[in-house]
Amino acid sequence: MSGAKTAAPKAPSKGKAKAPFGAENRQKLIGDFLGEHGGAPVWQSVYRLLLWVDKTTSLAHCYESDKCQPGKPWHLRSLRFHDWLARSLGVEPHAVSESIDWLFRRTADEYAAEVLRKQQHLLRRAQVQRAPYEGRGFPEPGEDPAIIAIIKEMLGERLLEEPTPHEWSVLSQKIRESIAVENKRKNLVGEGFEDVLAALLRAQPNAQNFDIHVRKALDQMPGFKNVRLGEKVNKVDLVLVDKQTGRETLITAKWSIRADREKQFQTEFASYVQARSNQQGWGYVLVTNEFDPARLARACEAMAANNRMFEHVIHINPAAVMDVYGPSPEDSMARVASYVTADRLLGLDDWLSKTGLK
């Protein structure tokens, strides 16, 4: 129509930035790592990507932090693990931290940069908001008297001069940010563990013979019936499907095994059995980095309908477990050792060979 105004074209929308700890960015980083470090043993890639140093002991993490403190029984075992890891990676004990935790360190760097960008934007807005209150002694944003008091108590006269309120505020914020970032680690040993395993499975020489799924809904798998209306969708951590035989291996990937997870295994397995819609065989396996002997033994011994519940129990590297337990293992440790000898507790690399992936 003559004289009608033409709407100005909209500016192209910017793509949403990848969240540093999100799945998309995590999977990209895992791919970058494997592209640079291809050919290494699978267990080594898992540890280099995900294993970390416990900041309270300065040793590679193998068990619950509170039980690994100096003087407690697991401190000696943590020392053994750290020593084994240093020797296995070919580095000095003091350099272990630089050889592991790659995924977290890389993700944390990106997260810190993102936080800084957001803070700079918010600070500009805050200056306008706080302008009417300038000069009235309002506390600085992020100021934490408790943190400041601890620093003053510890450093005392070593502080050559009193930092400004703004400097105290920035320091307090950085300390809190460091703690907040560390708390995000559980995401990396949860879904991140699943993503690392999936990437490693897909990197194996015979991966083309298998379909590999991550966090696959059970009702979307051909051999399992649909969930009932209103039921919670049951997702499997990883699924490995042999293209030739159609046999599915359902994988539960748990970095550690807490008591609630042990109960979850039974519930999970029962739901898989109930949902199975054909007579073809399938497997249920556990992949873990647990070191607690009682938990590992129970996983190896778990039964369902007079059969082993787990077709295989897979540890990232049983050699590490044996080294940690030492030359005179206690009863539960001796049970685990017997399962390692009998191949009931398999190493990740050995299991990949057994499946035909490797």
Side-chain angles (χ1 to χ4, degrees), residues 47-155:
Y47 278 174
R48 286 190 183 277
L49 277 163
L50 294 175
L51 189 65
W52 68 98
V53 163
D54 185 326
K55 291 184 178 180
T56 67
T57 63
S58 298
L59 299 172
H61 180 275
C62 70
Y63 198 52
E64 296 156 15
S65 181
D66 62 319
K67 296 181 175 68
C68 294
Q69 297 305 305
K72 295 190 175 183
W74 271 92
H75 188 68
L76 174 58
R77 294 164 192 153
S78 295
L79 286 163
R80 287 179 185 148
F81 179 58
H82 195 93
D83 180 51
W84 175 89
L85 187 63
R87 288 185 280 110
S88 299
L89 296 180
V91 299
E92 293 297 321
H94 65 81
V96 164
S97 62
E98 300 166 12
S99 301
I100 59 176
D101 209 17
W102 188 94
L103 185 57
F104 181 82
R105 287 188 285 118
R106 183 66 66 89
T107 307
D109 288 345
E110 295 187 6
Y111 178 77
E114 181 188 52
V115 168
L116 180 60
R117 285 194 299 271
K118 288 181 177 178
Q119 280 184 341
Q120 289 173 339
H121 173 69
L122 291 173
L123 282 173
R124 286 192 292 270
R125 291 173 58 185
Q127 286 174 350
V128 176
Q129 294 168 333
R130 294 172 64 86
Y133 304 92
E134 192 71 31
R136 292 180 53 191
F138 273 68
E140 284 280 331
E143 192 174 291
D144 192 323
I147 290 177
I148 294 171
I150 291 170
I151 294 171
K152 285 183 175 180
E153 180 185 352
M154 295 304 298
L155 296 181

Side-chain angles (χ1 to χ4, degrees), residues 140-188:
E140 284 280 331
E143 192 174 291
D144 192 323
I147 290 177
I148 294 171
I150 291 170
I151 294 171
K152 285 183 175 180
E153 180 185 352
M154 295 304 298
L155 296 181
E157 296 178 356
R158 292 180 182 273
L159 285 172
L160 299 179
E161 59 181 278
E162 176 75 11
T164 66
H166 177 69
E167 289 169 338
W168 279 125
S169 173
V170 171
L171 178 59
S172 299
Q173 287 176 352
K174 286 186 176 295
I175 291 171
R176 283 200 302 272
E177 285 166 16
S178 177
I179 295 170
V181 170
E182 187 65 29
N183 288 338
K184 287 183 173 289
R185 185 182 296 282
K186 61 185 178 182
N187 176 262
L188 291 187

Side-chain angles (χ1 to χ4, degrees), residues 11-61:
S13 59
K14 294 181 180 179
K16 188 177 180 181
K18 296 176 185 175
F21 282 92
E24 185 179 355
N25 190 54
R26 185 172 62 235
Q27 290 163 6
K28 176 190 176 299
L29 290 173
I30 293 168
D32 291 345
F33 175 88
L34 295 180
E36 297 172 10
H37 301 86
V42 173
W43 73 263
Q44 198 173 106
S45 294
V46 174
Y47 278 174
R48 286 190 183 277
L49 277 163
L50 294 175
L51 189 65
W52 68 98
V53 163
D54 185 326
K55 291 184 178 180
T56 67
T57 63
S58 298
L59 299 172
H61 180 275

Side-chain angles (χ1 to χ4, degrees), residues 223 241-242 244-248 276-283:
V241 184
D242 187 314
Q244 184 175 359
T245 65
R247 188 178 190 273
E248 306 101 332
R276 189 63 174 169
S277 58
N278 64 36
Q279 299 300 312
Q280 184 174 333
W282 57 282

Side-chain angles (χ1 to χ4, degrees), residues 148-294:
I148 294 171
I150 291 170
I151 294 171
K152 285 183 175 180
E153 180 185 352
M154 295 304 298
L155 296 181
E157 296 178 356
R158 292 180 182 273
L159 285 172
L160 299 179
E161 59 181 278
E162 176 75 11
T164 66
H166 177 69
E167 289 169 338
W168 279 125
S169 173
V170 171
L171 178 59
S172 299
Q173 287 176 352
K174 286 186 176 295
I175 291 171
R176 283 200 302 272
E177 285 166 16
S178 177
I179 295 170
V181 170
E182 187 65 29
N183 288 338
K184 287 183 173 289
R185 185 182 296 282
K186 61 185 178 182
N187 176 262
L188 291 187
V189 292
E191 289 192 356
F193 186 31
E194 298 164 10
D195 289 333
V196 166
L197 290 175
L200 288 166
L201 295 183
R202 290 171 180 145
Q204 297 309 301
N206 299 323
Q208 73 277 3
N209 298 327
F210 296 84
D211 287 323
I212 299 161
H213 307 282
V214 186
R215 295 181 286 281
K216 179 85 169 178
L218 189 64
D219 64 316
Q220 293 177 7
M221 294 166 53
F224 295 85
K225 63 187 177 184
N226 293 335
V227 294
R228 296 173 184 171
L229 185 64
E231 281 186 352
K232 181 181 177 182
V233 175
N234 196 350
K235 289 189 176 182
V236 186
D237 293 345
L238 292 104
V239 182
L240 181 67
V241 184
D242 187 314
K243 290 181 180 178
Q244 184 175 359
T245 65
R247 188 178 190 273
E248 306 101 332
T249 300
L250 279 56
I251 304 167
T252 182
K254 299 293 180 282
W255 186 264
S256 59
I257 307 172
R258 300 189 308 262
D260 60 326
R261 285 177 179 158
E262 291 187 80
K263 294 178 182 177
Q264 178 188 337
F265 295 149
Q266 296 283 348
T267 304
E268 200 173 66
F269 181 74
S271 70
Y272 297 160
V273 171
Q274 185 178 12
R276 189 63 174 169
S277 58
N278 64 36
Q279 299 300 312
Q280 184 174 333
W282 57 282
Y284 180 50
V285 306
L286 166 66
V287 182
T288 185
N289 192 53
E290 182 60 66
F291 278 79
D292 183 279

